[in-house]
Amino acid sequence: MENSDQIIQYLLSGLSNGSIYALIGFGFAIIYNATGIINFAQGEFVMLGGMLTIFFLNVFRLPLITAIALAVGVSTAIGIVFERLAIRPLKNASPLSLVIITIGASILIRGAAMLVWGKDTHALPPFSGNDPLYLMGATMLPQNLWIFALTAVIIIASKLFFHYTIFGKAMRACAFNSQAASLVGISVKTMVLLSFMISSAIGSLAGIIIAPLTMTSYDMGIMLGLKGFCAAIIGGMSSGLGTVIGGLLLGILESLGAGLISSGYKDAIAFIILLIILFLRPEGVFGKKETERV
Amino acid sequence: MTKSQRDIIIFTAFGLAVMITPLLLRGNYLLNVFVFIGINTMLAVALNLLLGFAGQISLGHAAFFGLGAYISGILTTRYAFDPWMAMVAAALCVGVIAFIIGFPILKLKGHYLAMATLGFGIIVYIIFNETVDWTGGPSGMSGIPNLSLGPIIFDSYMTNYYLIWVFTLLTMLLSVNLANSRIGRALRAIHDSEVAARVMGVNVRLLKVQIFTVSALISALAGSLYAHTMTFIAPASFGFNFSVELVTMVIIGGLGSIYGSFLGAAILTLLPEFLRVFHDFDIVIYGLLLIVMTIFMPGGLIGGFEALAAAINRRKEA
Amino acid sequence: MLSLQRITKTFGGVTALEDISFNVESGAITGVIGPNGAGKTTLFNIATGLYSQDTGDVYLGGQNISRLPPERLARLGMIRTFQNVELFGQMTVLENVMVGLHTKSKSGIFSCAFKLPGQIREEKTIHRRALKWLEYTGITDLAGMTAGSLPFGKGRLLEIARALASEPRIILMDEPAAGLNSRETMGLAGLIKKIRTSGITIVLVEHDMELVMDVCDTVVVLNLGHKLAEGTPRDIQENPEVIAAYLGDG
Ligand SMILES: Nc1ncnc2c1ncn2[C@@H]1O[C@H](COP(=O)(O)OP(=O)(O)O)[C@@H](O)[C@H]1O
Ligand SMILES: [Mg+2]
């Protein structure tokens, strides 16, 4: 039974990482749908979430919950600044300039984090202790439960937001047809800003809940961001549930691959999946095809 | 004076300046920096063919550079290849790889193309790190032999300088030629309107793959030269950060400008040297430069100079 | 020359074209008219290989070209202009026309990079011929300007010059008069007639009825993806269904 216990263990850790990828992928999809931009800086907000929480916790000795709230607040503020300074000035920018701008922002944020916090890795204490729980022969940390629960809450909350609030509906209208949306009086600019706010908030939350498990450092955002993107691509960049499934699938494949094949190639797995999907179905597994207008 | 005559004059002047520079430089340290400027110029020009001309981004070009270096390194240290032969083999291998992956990759556009090339770059980077038996893993590979030509062995700063710059100048010359030709125009046409280019009879798909292949091949040559001049290589030189740095060089200099790529390469190579005091500041500055240049100076430095010159001319006429 | 047979095209749920057939006579000017959204541009996109039709076939001079990509069709002598002017905005006017000569030249990457003798000769020919087409369309004085900075009317002319440079057998123009003032439109009418005289077949999508009635030999009317009528300009003008479609459209 040794072997199947192992598999369960891999599945568990895969699901937990996968939840994080799903959250990050959500951030990508929200901005992409509002603006058509793929925000290469998405991963940096994940890093900011973890680093800022640790910072508020250690330097200001704030209680965990306050530190988390502040970290999410500051990350969101940085998201706003980013949108106002780097995205809004560009009208009708080509995808090429947008790629470059968001990469620039990602380097800038990462570099600034390194200057402020140095190159060391930092640990955030787990939200509720380190005593392992046992499940079907596999062990699990309470933090894993936190991850599952909070991911579910965030995703359900954003679903509710998009379907039942006036802002959420307006954002969906914008994503569907921004011209028509502005004709009925929706401010597209506000919606773009809002999308950056929401996705930086979700990104930072993802960074916070994973921080106790993975250690946090200034450069953790690159890989996590890219894997989140991979999750979003599997989900077709649009359908909410698709991204969740994409994230979980990626997490599981990665964890199984690392466990059963080779841990050194763990990070390569996400990118191989990414390439295969882009090559075979650029519109994503759950997306649909469109004809480019001429 | 026709455009092509002007091109010849500018290139000759630039080439002469490059040739006499070492005579003016004091000390090996600066000479070595200029060797790096040469390699980076070669890489930036290669990327510019793809990014500046055809408008297709690659965030994985460091991988081609690295593949060139490692293939050369492995063939010479393990299989006793002559370094020149290894260099040819490396360039050809990478050319073939680029041609094959070029078809599926360049079907993608914009953000997706960026992600796919990035993914490719990271996979290659992981392979460099993990195939320890071949590459020496993260700690690198040493003892790569120098190139030699008859009695000359390229093992000093001075000889390396001339070795590298001969290749770099050649790359620049060929790229300038290409820019003002049927193919160069077709590439720029793709950049501006892919549909219109196709309707005018440009085989967009094939041409993109061809220029991607040429660009990768030149990068591999640069990698091979790098391996044989440094004699030591490690994966850290060929990661995502360096891919981004190459893109930054091209953007700063100006998309589509060959001399701009030199300028971008020179600035980005010198910057960390000047910023040594503020160690680690360079990365923040790259980020700022990328954002500021894209928003305020989309033509890069060369584009900026041209706009300035035009403005001064107008002032004079008025 | 060009023959469309039973073309149907849908986008998601929208039927843009349904069972459209007609022939374009060699050497003639065929007009395609119809209210906005009738499917005219879609028809051009299918004919030039940018979109693929759901069913039906396209023939060019007897050859079935249904599945050929646009770059092949350019070589077969079919070229087009765009409703929303697709110029190479960052290139000069002259360079735009030089791209038009792409199919008339053959140097590859290698000979261009090494400036082989054949390439130098070819480049001279391209240059000379491009200048000729600028003159033909009357925009020689703009040769050095960046195409992106051209006034709209000149951009339309440049698109035609670029198309002509490929020496097509047939040229498809999508609303070439849209956005032009009346003097420019008159000039365009003259140019279109001149092109026809040189033996090139023309298909013209246009809203300017005066222009259509002036230059076209045959007119095809589309409405909501259906072919409403086909005939001489005079027949079409008097066709009650056509009048109704236009009035209904407002
Ligand atoms: N790429 C596309 N995707 C979806 N619908 C399209 C596309 N191209 C055209 N259509 C639709 O097809 C119909 C015909 O459009 P079009 O051919 O542009 O008309 P016209 O040129 O006659 O004004 C319209 O309803 C339009 O919305
Ligand atoms: Mg139309």
Side-chain angles (χ1 to χ4, degrees):
Chain A
M1 281 315 285
E2 178 72 39
N3 218 349
S4 77
D5 288 355
Q6 277 283 302
I7 302 259
I8 291 175
Q9 190 72 58
Y10 294 144
L11 286 179
L12 269 177
S13 73
L15 283 174
S16 141
N17 282 336
S19 309
I20 301 296
Y21 302 155
L23 282 181
I24 302 170
F26 238 70
F28 272 107
I30 289 171
I31 291 184
Y32 180 77
N33 287 325
T35 62
I37 297 173
I38 298 214
N39 177 18
F40 278 76
Q42 192 62 35
E44 305 314 322
F45 291 96
V46 181
M47 176 272 294
L48 281 175
M51 289 301 253
L52 283 167
T53 308
I54 293 168
F55 174 72
F56 288 124
L57 209 59
N58 293 350
V59 177
F60 294 105
R61 309 256 159 231
L62 296 175
L64 181 65
I65 184 80
T66 323
I68 290 178
L70 272 176
V72 174
V74 174
S75 307
T76 310
I78 293 174
I80 294 175
V81 172
F82 170 41
E83 196 275 336
R84 294 304 287 265
L85 293 187
I87 302 293
R88 194 170 291 188
L90 283 165
K91 291 181 196 83
N92 308 321
S94 68
L96 186 61
S97 340
L98 289 167
V99 168
I100 291 162
I101 292 250
T102 58
I103 287 185
S106 114
I107 301 179
L108 185 62
I109 296 174
R110 193 185 320 141
M114 180 183 71
L115 290 176
V116 175
W117 294 304
K119 291 185 177 176
D120 300 333
T121 53
H122 303 267
L124 185 66
F127 296 175
S128 46
N130 239 339
D131 304 329
L133 312 164
Y134 295 93
L135 182 85
M136 293 184 290
T139 56
M140 185 163 68
L141 295 171
Q143 191 64 32
N144 290 114
L145 284 183
W146 275 109
I147 289 178
F148 296 140
L150 287 173
T151 303
V153 168
I154 293 167
I155 284 168
I156 291 168
S158 61
K159 261 266 166 309
L160 294 178
F161 171 81
F162 282 118
H163 286 265
Y164 296 103
T165 68
I166 186 91
F167 274 120
K169 285 183 190 169
M171 281 183 74
R172 283 201 306 148
C174 263
F176 188 69
N177 184 339
S178 64
Q179 250 172 347
S182 72
L183 281 181
V184 299
I186 297 172
S187 159
V188 178
K189 275 187 187 166
T190 311
M191 296 307 130
V192 169
L193 182 63
L194 205 57
S195 73
F196 272 83
M197 287 171 62
I198 297 174
S199 88
S200 37
I202 294 184
S204 63
L205 273 169
I208 293 167
I209 58 182
I210 188 108
L213 288 184
T214 56
M215 307 288 273
T216 301
S217 65
Y218 78 100
D219 62 351
M220 76 179 300
I222 311 178
M223 272 298 168
L224 279 177
L226 294 174
K227 288 177 184 172
F229 172 78
C230 187
I233 278 282
I234 300 177
M237 287 314 282
S238 49
S239 46
L241 198 61
T243 302
V244 177
I245 298 174
L248 296 179
L249 206 66
L250 176 61
I252 290 170
L253 283 174
E254 201 183 65
S255 146
L256 285 178
L260 302 177
I261 304 168
S262 147
S263 63
Y265 289 99
K266 174 168 178 269
D267 286 337
I269 291 169
F271 295 104
I272 291 169
I273 296 175
L274 177 71
L275 285 184
I276 292 174
I277 292 174
L278 285 178
F279 289 175
L280 297 182
R281 267 191 76 96
E283 64 281 5
V285 176
F286 299 104
K288 60 177 190 299
K289 220 174 175 145
E290 265 182 48
T291 319
E292 193 183 346
R293 279 190 188 242
V294 187
Chain B
M1 189 164 55
T2 69
K3 187 159 177 4
S4 89
Q5 280 167 333
R6 205 178 58 214
D7 281 347
I8 295 171
I9 294 173
I10 295 176
F11 181 78
T12 316
F14 183 81
L16 282 176
V18 165
M19 288 302 149
I20 57 173
T21 298
L23 311 176
L24 306 172
L25 290 177
R26 293 266 160 272
N28 284 337
Y29 168 72
L30 269 182
L31 209 50
N32 196 32
V33 172
F34 274 75
V35 169
F36 277 106
I37 294 180
I39 292 176
N40 287 340
T41 302
M42 198 167 160
L43 288 165
V45 170
L47 180 59
N48 205 349
L49 293 177
L50 184 70
L51 179 59
F53 287 23
Q56 308 300 307
I57 197 168
S58 164
L59 290 176
H61 250 52
F64 296 123
F65 178 50
L67 282 169
Y70 272 105
I71 294 175
S72 232
I74 291 169
L75 289 180
T76 45
T77 55
R78 284 169 187 272
Y79 298 97
F81 265 57
D82 173 74
W84 292 110
M85 290 309 296
M87 198 158 138
V88 173
L92 288 179
C93 267
V94 173
V96 171
I97 294 173
F99 189 75
I100 293 170
I101 64 166
F103 281 97
I105 280 202
L106 289 158
K107 246 205 236 165
L108 304 166
K109 290 190 181 140
H111 301 99
Y112 291 101
L113 176 64
M115 280 295 180
T117 49
L118 192 164
F120 168 75
I122 292 186
I123 292 171
V124 171
Y125 176 74
I126 292 172
I127 293 174
F128 290 156
N129 275 294
E130 295 301 321
T131 50
V132 180
D133 291 345
W134 292 85
T135 62
S139 50
M141 165 190 260
S142 56
I144 302 166
N146 286 117
L147 288 157
S148 59
L149 200 65
I152 312 166
I153 300 172
F154 297 99
D155 60 352
S156 69
Y157 291 113
M158 192 59 95
T159 48
N160 280 340
Y161 178 94
Y162 283 105
L163 170 72
I164 297 287
W165 272 100
V166 163
F167 277 90
T168 305
L169 285 173
L170 196 64
T171 305
M172 292 175 79
L173 178 65
L174 297 184
S175 304
V176 170
N177 287 347
L178 199 61
N180 301 308
S181 72
R182 167 179 186 266
I183 298 291
R185 283 187 298 271
L187 288 168
R188 284 182 287 147
I190 295 176
H191 193 161
D192 286 354
S193 169
E194 210 164 289
V195 235
R198 292 187 71 189
V199 166
M200 298 324 295
V202 178
N203 189 338
V204 170
R205 228 178 127 200
L206 184 65
L207 193 55
K208 277 184 189 173
V209 175
Q210 283 179 334
I211 203 68
F212 183 70
T213 306
V214 170
S215 174
L217 195 144
I218 298 173
S219 307
L221 264 184
S224 184
L225 285 167
Y226 174 80
H228 291 299
T229 50
M230 299 301 138
T231 70
F232 169 79
I233 52 178
S237 319
F238 312 113
F240 175 54
N241 282 340
F242 190 60
S243 288
V244 172
E245 218 176 293
L246 290 175
V247 172
T248 315
M249 291 175 194
V250 175
I251 304 273
I252 289 181
L255 287 171
S257 161
I258 303 299
Y259 295 98
S261 290
F262 160 72
L263 216 55
I267 291 174
L268 254 67
T269 316
L270 290 170
L271 202 62
E273 304 295 329
F274 286 131
L275 292 178
R276 196 136 277 182
V277 230
F278 313 99
H279 192 58
D280 290 342
F281 253 100
D282 45 350
I283 179 164
V284 184
I285 292 181
Y286 295 165
L288 264 181
L289 277 176
L290 276 179
I291 299 179
V292 171
M293 296 292 291
T294 314
I295 296 179
F296 297 107
M297 231 184 182
L301 286 177
I302 293 282
F305 291 151
E306 276 166 6
L308 196 67
I312 291 172
N313 268 340
R314 240 173 298 145
R315 177 82 48 97
K316 267 192 207 147
E317 277 165 30
Chain C
M1 164 73 55
L2 180 69
S3 168
L4 296 142
Q5 296 183 0
R6 315 205 61 170
I7 304 287
T8 298
K9 174 75 183 174
T10 53
F11 295 103
V14 186
T15 304
L17 292 172
E18 193 164 345
D19 202 15
I20 302 289
S21 306
F22 65 88
N23 290 318
V24 172
E25 290 305 321
S26 183
I29 301 182
T30 306
V32 178
I33 63 170
N36 273 326
K40 306 177 299 287
T41 299
T42 304
L43 199 66
F44 271 19
N45 286 339
I46 287 171
T48 53
L50 288 169
Y51 290 178
S52 51
Q53 64 273 33
D54 301 340
T55 59
D57 286 301
V58 187
Y59 292 85
L60 179 66
Q63 182 186 357
N64 189 337
I65 56 163
S66 299
R67 299 286 162 216
L68 294 187
E71 55 269 24
R72 286 283 301 283
L73 297 178
R75 284 177 195 281
L76 292 177
M78 180 156 69
I79 215 88
R80 70 175 284 183
T81 68
F82 294 87
Q83 184 175 346
N84 307 312
V85 187
E86 288 277 341
L87 293 172
F88 306 125
Q90 299 182 49
M91 300 167 71
T92 66
V93 168
L94 179 64
E95 285 173 327
N96 267 267
V97 181
M98 288 168 97
V99 175
L101 283 147
H102 192 82
T103 54
K104 297 283 149 201
S105 49
K106 55 179 188 298
S107 306
I109 289 191
F110 189 81
S111 49
C112 285
F114 286 92
K115 275 205 168 175
L116 300 185
Q119 188 265 339
I120 296 176
R121 235 177 298 124
E122 195 177 78
E123 187 71 8
K124 285 206 180 106
T125 319
I126 293 175
H127 192 256
R128 185 164 38 77
R129 286 215 240 168
L131 283 175
K132 188 186 95 186
W133 289 112
L134 286 181
E135 202 178 304
Y136 189 90
T137 48
I139 48 175
T140 309
D141 48 330
L142 304 174
M145 259 177 91
T146 312
S149 60
L150 285 182
F152 199 75
K154 302 293 181 193
R156 290 246 184 248
L157 287 180
L158 174 54
E159 243 199 346
I160 295 173
R162 185 179 69 184
L164 289 173
S166 73
E167 296 175 17
R169 288 194 281 164
I170 177 169
I171 175 167
L172 282 59
M173 299 189 195
D174 199 347
E175 302 196 18
L180 301 193
N181 61 34
S182 58
R183 205 167 50 93
E184 288 172 325
T185 307
M186 264 174 58
L188 178 73
L191 180 60
I192 291 176
K193 287 176 187 164
K194 186 160 89 171
I195 296 170
R196 193 249 302 261
T197 317
S198 71
I200 298 173
T201 310
I202 298 173
V203 186
L204 181 67
V205 162
E206 196 38 75
H207 278 306
D208 186 323
M209 280 310 141
E210 219 173 304
L211 179 65
V212 171
M213 296 308 154
D214 178 17
V215 303
C216 292
D217 302 304
T218 322
V219 176
V220 176
V221 187
L222 298 183
N223 187 29
L224 297 172
H226 292 273
K227 187 166 105 177
L228 210 57
E230 178 174 2
T232 63
R234 180 175 293 271
D235 294 344
I236 296 299
Q237 255 173 325
E238 289 162 3
N239 185 319
E241 268 188 273
V242 175
I243 296 167
Y246 269 90
L247 290 179
D249 186 55

